[in-house]
Amino acid sequence: MSEGWSRSRAAGAGAVASAVLLIAGGVFGRPDVAVLGAAPLIAAAWTVWRQPSGQLTVRVEAWSGEEPTGAGEDGADAAPPGSGGGEAPVAGAAVRARVLLDAPQGADTALLGVRRAGRDVAELLVRVDGRRSLPLLVRTVRTGPQEVATVEAQAIGPGAASISEPTDPVGRTAMVLPGPSALRDLPLPPRLRGLTGAHTSRRPGEGGDLRDVHQFAPGDRLRRIDWRVTARRAPDLRELYVRREHALAEAVVLLVVDSRDDVGPDPRTWRGAEGPRAQDATSLDLGRHAAASLAQGYLGAGDRVGLDDLGARRRPLPPGGGRRQLDRIRHALAVTRPEGEPPKRLRPPQIPSGALVVVFSTFLDDEASRVAGQWRQAGHRVIAVDVLPELREGHLDDRERLALRLVRLAREDRLAELADLDVEIVQWRDDPAVGLAGLARRGQRRPGAGVPA
């Protein structure tokens, strides 16, 4: 036998049975029985002579087909780590790769075993003619660095008479970028900045809504003259009236992600003994998705967006605009993860003056709520986005239900304290677009509007 190859059980049993029939026919003088055993024995000898001698090799590579790289149905992307920013195309929440098989001469079939995230092995029997490329599609609801799949294979010789030793497991990881969702109206900070933008500010300028009609003064442009108002108020043209507008400005938004918690919908996994299931989106996955969605909405409106992390002491991503800024934010969100015991902050991170602060956290402890309250007391508009997933409690025992109830009570107290400080709260597991649109309308109301005199 060739090194690395062995006789299959079926082929060995068939050869033994053929030899028994051949010997029995010779001993008892039954040529018909001997013929029945001779043919399979000759076939077994033929398969031994055609025994493959090489080794089967397996590789898992990133997708390199002709499909365009970019967002799928929900905008999720995947990029291999260290690929220099290249992103592998995905369809919806699916990561694509390919499996390359190099079989030795004489091996025409291979048995593949594909496993991902501790699930049961999925086996597939494929025909191999020297070399074959197989597409691999993995659906996922998780973001960040993760394993695409682990593949091992076993070559099968002609007639399934011989099989090779299983190959070593080969895996590949990918960086799954959070996919943003389209949002409608978004809340704005109380004070806008800059001399350009898409929002109407309170300053006089150009490009915004009508501010008032005023007498012509030095510095006013002739094209601003409103001839209808002038003809009505000064028919003799002794005075000219011009239309004055509000200036356009941009908003500065700081997204603050609390990466200290990465909990799933099963409270039993919060202790850390076992991780959340691969098919369950964790709080950090929801936080990445929420931050990417808000970043896309604000950047699409021409605003400037920055990113900071409460769970790590690193330089924050400064506010910026444009498509490149969205790509930087999505990649920074993808690599955000819990990094051990986070250091306690003595003061909240410094943010630009007049910025809107959006905090994404589970609020399972006091740190995120404390920092959000300090920002609000400093005069910033603060929005707290609750990213705790919908919990599953049906399998919990009485003791675990009691512990979860205590955690919920403490968490509700923190959210109530934030509401008392005028921190606006949005539940991301509900319909976030409706909640954010309500906050946007609230910010557009004038003080005292709707209150009877």
Side-chain angles (χ1 to χ4, degrees):
M1 298 294 293
S2 300
E3 183 179 358
W5 288 79
S6 60
R7 176 73 58 184
S8 64
R9 294 181 179 180
V16 172
S18 301
V20 170
L21 290 176
L22 184 62
I23 295 175
V27 170
F28 296 102
R30 295 288 303 274
D32 53 341
V33 176
V35 170
L36 290 177
L41 193 60
I42 295 175
W46 175 256
T47 56
V48 171
W49 183 74
R50 295 179 58 194
Q51 174 77 45
S53 58
Q55 297 291 331
L56 176 68
T57 59
V58 181
R59 290 180 296 163
V60 181
E61 296 182 353
W63 183 268
S64 59
E66 298 180 356
E67 298 186 12
T69 299
E73 297 175 358
D74 64 351
D77 290 342
S83 59
E87 298 176 0
V90 295
V95 182
R96 295 189 179 185
R98 64 174 181 175
V99 180
L100 297 179
L101 299 175
D102 290 324
Q105 185 177 3
D108 54 359
T109 311
L111 179 64
L112 265 69
V114 182
R115 181 179 64 256
R116 181 176 185 270
R119 298 183 182 180
D120 296 336
V121 178
E123 294 185 345
L124 177 66
L125 188 64
V126 297
R127 182 176 180 83
V128 183
D129 187 9
R131 184 175 186 181
R132 183 169 181 180
S133 175
L134 299 173
L136 179 62
L137 181 67
V138 177
R139 300 191 178 277
T140 178
V141 296
R142 307 292 291 274
T143 54
Q146 57 186 273
E147 178 192 30
V148 176
T150 300
V151 181
E152 56 184 359
Q154 193 173 17
I156 301 176
S162 58
I163 55 176
S164 67
E165 294 294 329
T167 62
D168 295 331
V170 179
R172 184 171 183 84
T173 59
M175 181 72 72
V176 180
L177 305 182
S181 299
L183 299 174
R184 293 177 290 187
D185 299 334
L186 295 175
L188 297 175
R191 183 164 62 89
L192 302 176
R193 302 179 59 183
L195 301 178
T196 59
H199 311 292
T200 302
S201 67
R202 300 177 182 179
R203 304 190 315 270
E206 296 184 2
D209 298 334
L210 176 65
R211 185 169 183 260
D212 59 10
V213 178
H214 197 266
Q215 292 184 3
F216 186 87
D220 291 335
R221 297 185 179 183
L222 295 178
R223 63 186 182 90
R224 293 293 181 186
I225 298 176
D226 192 325
W227 294 106
R228 292 185 178 180
V229 176
T230 301
R232 185 170 61 251
R233 295 186 179 182
D236 54 356
L237 299 182
R238 291 183 179 180
E239 296 177 348
L240 299 177
Y241 290 87
V242 295
R243 296 169 58 89
R244 298 193 299 185
E245 299 174 344
H246 291 283
L248 293 179
E250 63 183 4
V252 177
V253 182
L254 182 64
L255 308 177
V256 182
V257 179
D258 185 5
S259 65
R260 298 171 304 127
D261 294 329
D262 189 14
V263 297
D266 186 1
R268 286 185 173 179
T269 62
W270 293 5
R271 294 173 293 184
E274 55 179 336
R277 297 188 304 176
Q279 57 269 34
D280 291 337
T282 64
S283 60
L284 193 53
D285 294 325
L286 295 180
R288 291 171 179 150
H289 172 67
S293 301
L294 287 175
Q296 176 180 260
Y298 283 111
L299 292 174
D303 299 321
R304 299 171 60 207
V305 182
L307 179 66
D308 201 353
D309 185 4
L310 282 182
R313 290 289 184 88
R314 63 170 62 96
R315 188 174 182 179
L317 186 64
R323 176 65 186 182
R324 288 181 177 269
Q325 181 72 359
L326 178 59
D327 294 337
R328 285 191 289 265
I329 289 176
R330 293 178 62 196
H331 187 271
L333 289 171
V335 300
T336 298
R337 60 182 179 85
E339 298 182 359
E341 185 67 23
K344 186 175 180 59
R345 294 179 180 267
L346 299 179
R347 60 181 63 90
Q350 297 295 322
I351 61 176
S353 175
L356 170 67
V357 185
V358 186
V359 182
F360 305 88
S361 177
T362 59
F363 300 100
L364 291 175
D365 58 13
D366 297 330
E367 183 66 16
S369 58
R370 181 183 65 85
V371 174
Q374 292 180 358
W375 276 324
R376 184 66 190 97
Q377 292 173 353
H380 298 280
R381 186 180 184 183
V382 181
I383 298 176
V385 180
D386 181 13
V387 295
L388 186 68
E390 191 71 28
L391 302 182
R392 293 194 298 264
E393 309 176 31
H395 62 290
L396 301 180
D397 56 29
D398 295 339
R399 183 177 180 182
E400 293 169 339
R401 289 177 184 272
L402 178 59
L404 180 59
R405 183 181 179 185
L406 295 176
V407 172
R408 275 182 167 170
L409 290 175
R411 181 173 173 274
E412 291 173 359
D413 290 342
R414 297 187 190 98
L415 295 178
E417 291 176 358
L418 289 178
D420 293 339
L421 293 174
D422 199 22
V423 174
E424 298 152 310
I425 301 173
V426 176
Q427 304 288 341
W428 194 261
R429 60 179 175 270
D430 299 332
D431 193 347
V434 176
L436 292 172
L439 297 182
R441 291 191 296 269
R442 175 186 174 185
Q444 295 172 358
R445 293 183 58 186
R446 302 184 306 274
V451 179

